[in-house]
Amino acid sequence: MLDSSRTTHPGSSGAPARIPVTVQATDPILREGVLSQLRRHPEVELREETRSGPGTVAVLVDDTLDDDALARLRRLVRGEGARAVLVVSSLRESGLLDAIECGVGAVVWRHEASAHRLVQAVVRAFRGDGDLPADLLGRLMNRVGTLRRSAAAGGGPVPSGLTAREVDVLRLVAEGLDTGEIAGKLSYSERTVKNVIHGLTTRLHLRNRAHAVAYALREGYI
């Protein structure tokens, strides 16, 4: 039976912080495998699949991101307000862009889905940090670079909308740094970094850090 004890969210006093997590998979063997990995970590509170919602992280496990999996992601993120971690064996470039536009905060390859890696992705998604494998980030940058070159050849407009500070922060987000590391690199406080990211995602109607990085890449800032 899944743990249904009360959650204490990060930053609150009292008991150690626990992140509410649901695991979504059409294959019961895959679902049980991820559950068994996550049960080892006390910072995770496992919930039933039907209890996704604001403040929870939904881990969706599948072979690839097909139309059905994408529809489930949209329901979880847009409909129920959960943060999402996608665990897949493979992902096409178009699927990666779809996932980011949908609001996925982290992607984990199934062959790398150890207990430590899964919890790392859950924590980063819960905090609103992006978490993409290096090879996926490279493919995303190549894809967006191709789109940029095509737009330039067609006389597309000059990008606008981000400040120099926002570009500096997003460049480091794209390199995989977390809030504390970005603050150290730029000599900002962590609160300043969070405010910069919150300001640009709110202003440009972006869903999370991964979506902001995709926007910056697409528009030619990084």
Side-chain angles (χ1 to χ4, degrees):
M1 179 177 293
L2 299 185
D3 185 357
S4 59
S5 59
R6 186 174 180 178
T7 300
T8 302
H9 293 283
S12 62
S13 59
R18 304 187 71 203
I19 300 174
V21 175
T22 67
V23 178
Q24 318 277 335
T26 55
D27 185 332
I29 296 177
L30 288 180
R31 182 170 184 270
E32 185 55 40
V34 173
L35 288 171
S36 67
Q37 296 280 53
L38 293 176
R39 284 193 187 100
R40 307 176 188 180
H41 291 263
E43 62 265 48
V44 172
E45 177 199 341
L46 292 172
R47 293 185 173 182
E48 298 291 346
E49 290 178 273
T50 56
R51 296 183 62 194
S52 294
T56 66
V57 175
V59 179
L60 191 146
V61 190
D62 216 325
D63 287 324
T64 190
L65 187 65
D66 58 17
D67 290 343
D68 290 339
L70 184 59
R72 292 199 300 276
L73 274 179
R74 289 193 176 115
R75 174 179 56 79
L76 290 166
V77 177
R78 298 182 184 179
E80 301 181 13
R83 298 183 184 274
V85 173
L86 180 62
V87 182
V88 289
S89 297
S90 63
L91 191 61
R92 294 174 299 178
E93 290 177 358
S94 59
L96 174 59
L97 294 175
D98 286 340
I100 291 173
E101 293 289 345
C102 178
V104 170
V107 177
V108 177
W109 294 128
R110 274 179 50 185
H111 69 272
E112 297 178 349
S114 64
H116 172 77
R117 183 70 186 89
L118 287 169
V119 171
Q120 179 185 59
V122 164
V123 170
R124 288 183 175 177
F126 182 79
R127 292 175 178 171
D129 297 339
D131 189 352
L132 296 179
D135 57 331
L136 268 188
L137 183 58
R139 284 164 52 190
L140 177 62
M141 294 178 72
N142 288 336
R143 173 64 174 168
V144 175
T146 300
L147 294 175
R148 281 187 58 206
R149 289 189 291 273
S150 297
V158 177
S160 62
L162 292 181
T163 67
R165 173 183 282 190
E166 290 169 342
V167 172
D168 287 341
V169 170
L170 285 180
R171 184 175 293 112
L172 295 177
V173 171
E175 292 176 7
L177 277 64
D178 62 23
T179 300
E181 292 168 330
I182 294 170
K185 284 275 189 181
L186 299 178
S187 298
Y188 295 159
S189 68
E190 291 191 25
R191 180 180 294 275
T192 296
V193 173
K194 291 178 181 177
N195 287 342
V196 168
I197 294 172
H198 176 74
L200 72 93
T201 53
T202 301
R203 187 178 74 252
L204 299 174
H205 306 290
L206 305 171
R207 295 186 180 87
N208 52 37
R209 294 187 183 200
H211 195 185
V213 168
Y215 171 86
L217 288 166
R218 184 173 61 244
E219 297 299 322
Y221 290 101
I222 58 177

Coordinates of all heavy atoms in Angstrom, one line a residue, residues 9 19-22 24 47 49-59 71-85 102-105 125-128 207-208:
H9 N 5.8 20.2 3.4 CA 6.5 20.7 2.2 C 7.8 21.3 2.5 O 8.0 21.8 3.6 CB 5.6 21.7 1.5 CG 4.4 21.1 0.9 ND1 4.4 20.3 -0.2 CD2 3.1 21.0 1.4 CE1 3.2 19.9 -0.5 NE2 2.4 20.3 0.5
I19 N 8.0 15.2 -0.6 CA 7.4 15.6 -1.8 C 6.3 14.6 -2.2 O 6.6 13.4 -2.4 CB 8.5 15.8 -2.9 CG1 9.5 16.8 -2.5 CG2 7.8 16.2 -4.2 CD1 10.7 16.9 -3.5
P20 N 5.1 15.0 -2.4 CA 4.0 14.1 -2.9 C 4.3 13.7 -4.3 O 4.4 14.6 -5.2 CB 2.7 14.9 -2.7 CG 3.1 16.3 -2.7 CD 4.6 16.4 -2.1
V21 N 4.3 12.4 -4.6 CA 4.6 11.9 -5.9 C 3.6 10.8 -6.3 O 3.3 10.0 -5.5 CB 6.0 11.3 -6.0 CG1 6.3 10.7 -7.3 CG2 7.1 12.4 -5.6
T22 N 3.1 10.9 -7.6 CA 2.3 9.8 -8.1 C 3.1 9.3 -9.3 O 3.9 10.0 -9.9 CB 1.0 10.3 -8.7 OG1 1.2 11.2 -9.8 CG2 0.2 11.0 -7.6
Q24 N 2.7 7.3 -12.9 CA 1.7 7.0 -13.9 C 2.4 6.1 -15.0 O 3.4 6.5 -15.6 CB 1.2 8.3 -14.6 CG 0.9 9.4 -13.6 CD -0.5 9.3 -13.0 OE1 -1.4 8.7 -13.6 NE2 -0.6 9.9 -11.9
R47 N 1.8 8.6 -3.6 CA 0.4 8.7 -3.5 C -0.2 7.9 -4.6 O 0.4 7.5 -5.6 CB -0.1 10.2 -3.7 CG 0.3 11.1 -2.5 CD -0.3 12.4 -2.7 NE -0.1 13.3 -1.5 CZ -0.6 14.5 -1.4 NH1 -1.2 15.1 -2.4 NH2 -0.4 15.2 -0.3
E49 N -2.4 7.0 -8.0 CA -2.4 7.7 -9.3 C -3.5 8.8 -9.4 O -3.3 9.8 -10.0 CB -2.6 6.7 -10.4 CG -1.5 5.8 -10.6 CD -1.8 4.8 -11.7 OE1 -2.4 3.7 -11.4 OE2 -1.4 5.0 -12.9
T50 N -4.6 8.6 -8.7 CA -5.7 9.5 -8.8 C -5.5 10.8 -8.0 O -6.3 11.7 -8.0 CB -7.0 8.9 -8.4 OG1 -6.8 8.3 -7.1 CG2 -7.4 7.7 -9.3
R51 N -4.4 10.9 -7.2 CA -4.2 12.0 -6.3 C -3.2 13.0 -6.8 O -2.6 13.8 -6.1 CB -3.8 11.5 -4.9 CG -4.9 10.7 -4.2 CD -4.4 10.3 -2.9 NE -4.2 11.4 -2.0 CZ -3.6 11.4 -0.8 NH1 -3.0 10.2 -0.4 NH2 -3.4 12.5 -0.1
S52 N -3.0 13.1 -8.2 CA -2.2 14.1 -8.7 C -2.9 15.5 -8.7 O -4.2 15.5 -8.7 CB -1.9 13.8 -10.2 OG -1.1 12.7 -10.3
G53 N -2.2 16.5 -8.6 CA -2.8 17.8 -8.5 C -1.7 18.9 -8.1 O -0.5 18.6 -8.1
P54 N -2.1 20.1 -7.9 CA -1.2 21.2 -7.5 C -0.3 20.7 -6.3 O -0.8 20.2 -5.3 CB -2.1 22.3 -7.2 CG -3.3 22.1 -8.0 CD -3.5 20.6 -8.0
G55 N 1.0 21.0 -6.4 CA 1.9 20.6 -5.3 C 2.4 19.2 -5.4 O 3.2 18.8 -4.5
T56 N 2.0 18.4 -6.4 CA 2.5 17.0 -6.5 C 3.4 16.9 -7.8 O 3.3 17.8 -8.7 CB 1.3 16.0 -6.7 OG1 0.6 16.3 -7.9 CG2 0.3 16.1 -5.5
V57 N 4.2 15.9 -7.8 CA 5.0 15.6 -8.9 C 4.5 14.3 -9.5 O 4.4 13.3 -8.8 CB 6.5 15.5 -8.6 CG1 7.3 15.1 -9.8 CG2 7.0 16.8 -8.0
A58 N 4.1 14.3 -10.8 CA 3.6 13.1 -11.5 C 4.8 12.6 -12.3 O 5.3 13.3 -13.2 CB 2.4 13.4 -12.4
V59 N 5.2 11.3 -12.1 CA 6.2 10.6 -12.8 C 5.5 9.8 -13.8 O 4.8 8.8 -13.5 CB 7.1 9.8 -11.9 CG1 8.2 9.1 -12.8 CG2 7.8 10.7 -10.9
A71 N -1.1 13.1 -24.3 CA -2.4 13.5 -23.8 C -2.5 13.4 -22.3 O -3.1 14.2 -21.6 CB -3.5 12.7 -24.5
R72 N -1.9 12.3 -21.7 CA -1.9 12.1 -20.3 C -1.0 13.2 -19.6 O -1.4 13.8 -18.6 CB -1.3 10.8 -19.9 CG -2.2 9.6 -20.3 CD -1.8 8.3 -19.6 NE -0.4 7.9 -19.8 CZ -0.1 7.2 -20.8 NH1 -1.0 6.8 -21.8 NH2 1.2 6.8 -21.0
L73 N 0.1 13.6 -20.3 CA 0.9 14.7 -19.7 C 0.1 16.0 -19.7 O 0.2 16.7 -18.7 CB 2.2 14.9 -20.6 CG 3.4 14.0 -20.3 CD1 4.5 14.3 -21.2 CD2 3.8 14.2 -18.8
R74 N -0.6 16.3 -20.8 CA -1.3 17.5 -20.8 C -2.4 17.5 -19.7 O -2.6 18.6 -19.0 CB -2.0 17.7 -22.2 CG -1.0 18.0 -23.3 CD -1.7 18.5 -24.5 NE -0.8 18.9 -25.5 CZ -0.6 18.3 -26.7 NH1 -1.3 17.3 -27.0 NH2 0.3 18.7 -27.6
R75 N -3.0 16.4 -19.5 CA -4.1 16.3 -18.4 C -3.4 16.5 -17.1 O -4.0 17.3 -16.2 CB -4.8 15.0 -18.5 CG -5.7 14.7 -17.3 CD -6.4 13.4 -17.4 NE -5.5 12.3 -17.5 CZ -4.8 11.8 -16.4 NH1 -5.0 12.3 -15.2 NH2 -4.0 10.7 -16.6
L76 N -2.3 15.9 -16.8 CA -1.6 16.0 -15.5 C -1.1 17.4 -15.2 O -1.3 18.0 -14.1 CB -0.5 15.1 -15.4 CG -0.8 13.6 -15.4 CD1 0.4 12.7 -15.7 CD2 -1.4 13.2 -14.0
V77 N -0.5 18.1 -16.2 CA 0.1 19.4 -16.0 C -0.9 20.5 -16.2 O -1.0 21.4 -15.3 CB 1.3 19.6 -17.0 CG1 1.9 20.9 -16.8 CG2 2.4 18.5 -16.7
R78 N -1.6 20.5 -17.3 CA -2.5 21.6 -17.6 C -3.9 21.5 -16.9 O -4.4 22.4 -16.3 CB -2.7 21.8 -19.1 CG -1.5 22.1 -19.8 CD -1.8 22.3 -21.3 NE -0.5 22.5 -22.1 CZ -0.5 22.7 -23.4 NH1 -1.6 22.6 -24.1 NH2 0.6 22.8 -24.0
G79 N -4.4 20.2 -16.8 CA -5.7 20.0 -16.2 C -5.6 19.9 -14.7 O -6.5 20.4 -14.0
E80 N -4.6 19.2 -14.2 CA -4.6 18.9 -12.8 C -3.6 19.8 -12.0 O -3.6 19.8 -10.8 CB -4.3 17.4 -12.5 CG -5.4 16.5 -13.1 CD -5.1 15.1 -12.9 OE1 -4.3 14.8 -12.0 OE2 -5.8 14.2 -13.5
G81 N -2.7 20.4 -12.7 CA -1.7 21.3 -12.1 C -0.5 20.7 -11.5 O 0.2 21.3 -10.7
A82 N -0.2 19.4 -11.8 CA 0.9 18.7 -11.3 C 2.2 19.2 -12.0 O 2.1 19.6 -13.2 CB 0.7 17.2 -11.4
R83 N 3.3 19.0 -11.4 CA 4.6 19.1 -12.1 C 4.9 17.7 -12.6 O 4.6 16.7 -12.0 CB 5.7 19.6 -11.2 CG 5.4 21.0 -10.7 CD 6.6 21.5 -9.8 NE 6.3 22.8 -9.2 CZ 6.5 24.0 -9.8 NH1 7.0 24.0 -11.0 NH2 6.2 25.1 -9.2
A84 N 5.7 17.6 -13.7 CA 5.8 16.3 -14.4 C 7.3 15.9 -14.6 O 8.1 16.8 -14.9 CB 5.1 16.3 -15.7
V85 N 7.5 14.6 -14.4 CA 8.8 14.0 -14.8 C 8.5 12.9 -15.8 O 7.6 12.1 -15.5 CB 9.5 13.4 -13.5 CG1 10.7 12.6 -14.0 CG2 9.9 14.5 -12.5
C102 N 4.4 21.4 -23.3 CA 3.3 20.9 -22.4 C 3.6 21.2 -20.9 O 2.7 21.4 -20.1 CB 3.2 19.4 -22.5 SG 2.0 18.6 -21.5
G103 N 4.8 21.4 -20.6 CA 5.2 21.8 -19.2 C 6.0 20.8 -18.4 O 6.1 20.8 -17.2
V104 N 6.6 19.8 -19.1 CA 7.4 18.8 -18.4 C 8.6 19.5 -17.9 O 9.3 20.2 -18.6 CB 7.8 17.7 -19.4 CG1 8.9 16.8 -18.8 CG2 6.6 16.8 -19.8
G105 N 8.9 19.2 -16.6 CA 10.1 19.9 -16.0 C 11.3 19.0 -16.0 O 12.4 19.6 -15.8
A125 N 12.0 18.9 -10.4 CA 10.7 19.3 -11.0 C 9.9 20.0 -9.9 O 9.2 21.0 -10.2 CB 10.0 18.0 -11.5
F126 N 9.9 19.5 -8.7 CA 9.1 20.1 -7.6 C 9.5 21.5 -7.4 O 8.7 22.4 -7.1 CB 9.3 19.3 -6.3 CG 8.5 19.7 -5.2 CD1 7.1 19.4 -5.1 CD2 9.1 20.5 -4.1 CE1 6.4 19.9 -4.0 CE2 8.3 21.0 -3.1 CZ 7.0 20.6 -3.0
R127 N 10.8 21.8 -7.4 CA 11.3 23.2 -7.2 C 11.1 24.1 -8.4 O 11.4 25.3 -8.4 CB 12.8 23.1 -6.9 CG 13.1 22.5 -5.5 CD 14.6 22.3 -5.3 NE 14.9 21.8 -4.0 CZ 16.2 21.4 -3.7 NH1 17.2 21.5 -4.5 NH2 16.4 20.9 -2.5
G128 N 10.8 23.5 -9.6 CA 10.6 24.3 -10.8 C 11.9 24.4 -11.6 O 12.0 25.2 -12.5
R207 N 5.9 28.0 -18.9 CA 5.4 27.1 -17.8 C 6.5 26.8 -16.8 O 6.2 26.6 -15.6 CB 4.9 25.8 -18.4 CG 3.7 26.1 -19.3 CD 3.0 24.8 -19.8 NE 1.9 25.1 -20.6 CZ 1.9 25.3 -21.9 NH1 3.1 25.2 -22.5 NH2 0.8 25.6 -22.6
N208 N 7.7 26.7 -17.2 CA 8.8 26.3 -16.2 C 10.1 26.7 -16.8 O 10.2 27.3 -17.9 CB 8.7 24.9 -15.9 CG 8.7 24.0 -17.1 OD1 9.3 24.2 -18.1 ND2 7.9 22.9 -17.0

